[in-house]
Each structure stands twice: as C-alpha cells, then as structure tokens.
Amino acid sequence: MVQLRDCFPFWEALTEEQRNTLEKNVVKRKFEKGRLLHAGQEDCVGLIAVAEGLLRVFTVSEDGKELTLYRLLERDVCLFSASCIFQDIRFDVMVSAAEETEVYHIPAEIYRRLMETSLPVMEYTSRLMASRFSDVMWLMDQVMNKKLDSRLAAFLLEEADRTGQNRLELTHEQISGHLGSAREVVSRMLKHFQKEGLVELNRGSITLADREELARLAEGSLM
C-alpha cells in the first residue's frame, strides 16, 4: 500500500510540525467502482491522493456526453477536487472511482495553509496544476484534430499496458465515455476493427488481436 509520504515529493522538505499536521488531518477513504468523489466546481472536497486503485477525471457536456480528461493511478494527486483553494481558477470536472480505490483525503483548508507556509509545496502545486492543464490541452487537440480510429486504438493499447492484459473488460458505453463519442459510433468502429482482425469482441470484453497494427493506427494519439 502506498503511504502518504510517497504521494508528495516535497515530504522531506516539510518541517516536523507540518508533517504532523498533515498526518493528523488526513483521512483514508475507500470507494467502490463507479462511486463519485467530486461533483464539479461547487464541490470542494479537498485534495485527493491515490493510495491504491484508479480514479477517472472527466467532464460532462450539456447534453450529458462524458469525456475523460485523464486518469489518476497510485501516487497521483487530484488538485481539481480542491479547486476552491486556488483564486480565479474554476474547472468544472467530475472525479469517480474507475475501480475499487483507496485514497488519502486532505481537507482543502489544511492544504491551503500548507501552501501558504511552505515554498516547496507551493512550487509542487504550481507544477502539478500546469501539468494537468497541459494534459487537458493535449486531449482537446486529440478530440479536435485526430480521427476516432486513431484515438480508439491508442486507448485500447494504453488500457492493455496499464492492466497488463490483452483482454479488456470494457463495454462500448464505457469506452464512449472515455473518448467523448457516441456509443453507437464506438460500436461501429470496434466492429470495423474486428473485421480487420485488430480485436476480438465478446460480451463485456475486447481482446487485442493485432497490437502491431493497432500501434500503427494509434500513431500520434499515444501519450
């Protein structure tokens, strides 16, 4: 299990009092798959660090279409769930557990005070925020300028690398939410992939059959 100190590269730069404050106020919480942790910019739950599992950060359009912005693995930290501590920054995103997940939850006010008293914490926070915005801008470029077949191939490969399995337990609905596309469009593209021998489709799962060709198709869409 990842420890709290493992999530923050500034840990050794904190004073003993600051470490004690964090450890005293942090709460370890467990969420089942699909549970919503953060529900938009009006919901300031605090800083979330992943101890075990996987979080999904996504946005929802006015017509209800979801788009995954990025995912958070072990040791990753979610800043947007504590967006109220940043002046003039409002980013309306949702955070949910993509699988059973355990997190460290630091109240927003505790982290705000830590930033105000520690330069290393402030610098780390600024770098992380810039990195997350860069991830989002990269995704916007993908959505606007890359074809769905390339993005879909990249997603399947990245998911296979993350899980270490060629057989992915994913529904077409789940994939459409990650890619911000209609389920019907994703289903048609997957059927095309199957016809071309790139994947094998089964109820509730997709098996990668030709990783080399998928990688060629995904060129330019892999992070």
Side-chain angles (χ1 to χ4, degrees), residues 49-86:
V50 182
E52 186 176 30
L54 178 69
L55 295 181
R56 175 184 175 227
V57 181
F58 63 100
T59 185
V60 182
S61 66
E62 292 184 358
D63 60 359
K65 185 182 297 183
E66 296 182 0
L67 173 63
T68 298
L69 301 176
Y70 52 85
R71 292 182 291 178
L72 299 172
L73 308 174
E74 291 181 1
R75 293 183 173 84
D76 284 339
V77 174
C78 183
L79 285 176
F80 291 133
S81 57
S83 59
C84 59
I85 68 177
F86 306 105

Side-chain angles (χ1 to χ4, degrees), residues 79-188:
L79 285 176
F80 291 133
S81 57
S83 59
C84 59
I85 68 177
F86 306 105
Q87 290 186 353
D88 303 321
I89 294 181
R90 293 292 181 267
F91 208 72
D92 200 14
V93 301
M94 318 284 276
V95 182
S96 67
E99 57 188 43
E100 185 175 290
T101 302
E102 192 162 0
V103 306
Y104 293 107
H105 172 218
I106 301 172
E109 184 56 34
I110 296 298
Y111 195 78
R112 186 207 301 272
R113 293 208 303 265
L114 193 62
M115 284 198 304
E116 291 173 348
T117 57
S118 173
L119 181 58
V121 175
M122 176 62 78
E123 291 177 341
Y124 162 80
T125 304
S126 297
R127 289 196 302 270
L128 184 57
M129 183 66 77
S131 175
R132 295 302 181 219
F133 275 118
S134 178
D135 290 342
V136 172
M137 293 306 297
W138 180 87
L139 176 64
M140 293 301 103
D141 176 68
Q142 290 290 306
V143 171
M144 295 176 64
N145 300 313
K146 298 294 182 181
K147 294 181 179 179
L148 180 62
D149 57 353
S150 176
R151 294 174 56 225
L152 176 56
F155 173 76
L156 294 176
L157 288 170
E158 289 168 354
E159 189 68 7
D161 288 341
R162 185 186 69 82
T163 61
Q165 301 289 333
N166 277 334
R167 184 178 182 275
L168 309 176
E169 294 185 358
L170 288 168
T171 66
H172 299 189
E173 185 72 30
Q174 288 172 320
I175 296 174
S176 68
H178 283 295
L179 300 181
S181 183
R183 181 189 60 77
E184 295 79 5
V185 176
V186 169
S187 294
R188 286 198 297 270

